[in-house]
Structures are given as structure tokens and as C-alpha cells.
Amino acid sequence: MNYTVDFLKRNYPGITLYKDDVKDSTLEGNGKVLLYKKSMLSGQEDGEVTYQLRIDFKNGKYRLLLTNFNYTPYKRTRFGTFAPVAGIVVSLDNPGKSIGAKQADNYLNQIGAYSAAFDKQLEAYLQNPLASKENKPALKKVNTTNW
């Protein structure tokens, strides 16, 4: 469980944990992921999805649950950057007519790819947490008095 908390702090600093219960062997928190609109030359930010994270531990196994996906669209500001639209939040569990079917499928595909990559990274880290720690090379000191 401590390795998982270390993994989240290192690789996903945007996830905030609000429950870290050793007695129940669960971690709960919130996170968000950016969604991109695909264009011919490059993708641009289309919105963000917030989600709830829950990881249960039992007998050397874990269960990862990502739930309650809420979409907030982005729009271009007058400065040319993208920012969330205030007051608009759409639940992706039941988008209704707020989002088109093709757009909702695109968002769900991006979230599915993000979730699969998240689980794969977590599994690799939990199998060997020491191998994934980066060893930074020591900085060489330059002697500026002798040329």
C-alpha cells in the first residue's frame, strides 16, 4: 500500500488522496485527465474529465476502480489558451443529449486508454518498485580556477 502511495505521488501528482486507510486496506482519491480533439496537424485540448479513484488491497492483490467520470468542456480564451467553461459539467455515465454519440465514444476511448495505461504502470511498479526509482548521475564539479 505504501508503494502505491509512492507511485501516485511520483507519477500522478494531480491525484489527491482523501482516504488512506491501512485498517480497511483502501486508497481513495480524485484525479483528472485532459481529453484532446484530434485535428489534421495536432490535437488541441477539448476538455477535462474528473474521476474518483479507489484501490483495494487483499492478500498481495489489488483492485483498481476508476468511477464517476464528469466531463468539463474547454473553450479558447481571449489570450489564445484553453480554459474550462464555468458551470458546465456532464456526467459521462449518462451523457444524454449534451454530447453527441460520436464525441462521447471518442471520450470514452481516450479514458479507456488512460485507465489501461494507468493500471499497467501501477502493476509494473508494484512488481518491482526499486527498479523504477531513477538514479540521477552525480553532477561533475568544474574547477574554474585552473584553465
Side-chain angles (χ1 to χ4, degrees), residues 8 16 50 56 68 78 82 93 97 102 123:
L8 292 175
T16 56
T50 58
D56 297 322
N68 297 339
R78 64 182 180 172
F82 290 94
D93 296 333
K97 295 181 181 179
K102 187 175 180 182
E123 182 179 1

Side-chain angles (χ1 to χ4, degrees), residues 47-58:
E48 70 181 18
V49 172
T50 58
Y51 58 88
Q52 289 183 345
L53 165 79
R54 180 181 172 106
I55 304 175
D56 297 322
F57 299 94
K58 183 177 179 182

Side-chain angles (χ1 to χ4, degrees), residues 2 6 9 15-16 37 50 70 82 101 109 112 119-120 147:
N2 292 331
D6 183 51
K9 286 181 181 177
I15 294 177
T16 56
K37 185 186 305 182
T50 58
N70 293 317
F82 290 94
N109 287 339
D119 185 41
K120 195 174 197 179
W147 290 87

Side-chain angles (χ1 to χ4, degrees), residues 74-123:
Y74 275 19
K75 72 174 183 178
R76 188 180 299 269
T77 64
R78 64 182 180 172
F79 303 110
T81 60
F82 290 94
V85 178
I88 299 177
V89 176
V90 178
S91 173
L92 288 180
D93 296 333
N94 186 12
K97 295 181 181 179
S98 304
I99 301 175
K102 187 175 180 182
Q103 193 175 16
D105 287 341
N106 181 21
Y107 293 159
L108 292 175
N109 287 339
Q110 289 184 41
I111 292 168
Y114 171 79
S115 302
F118 183 88
D119 185 41
K120 195 174 197 179
Q121 287 178 350
L122 178 62
E123 182 179 1

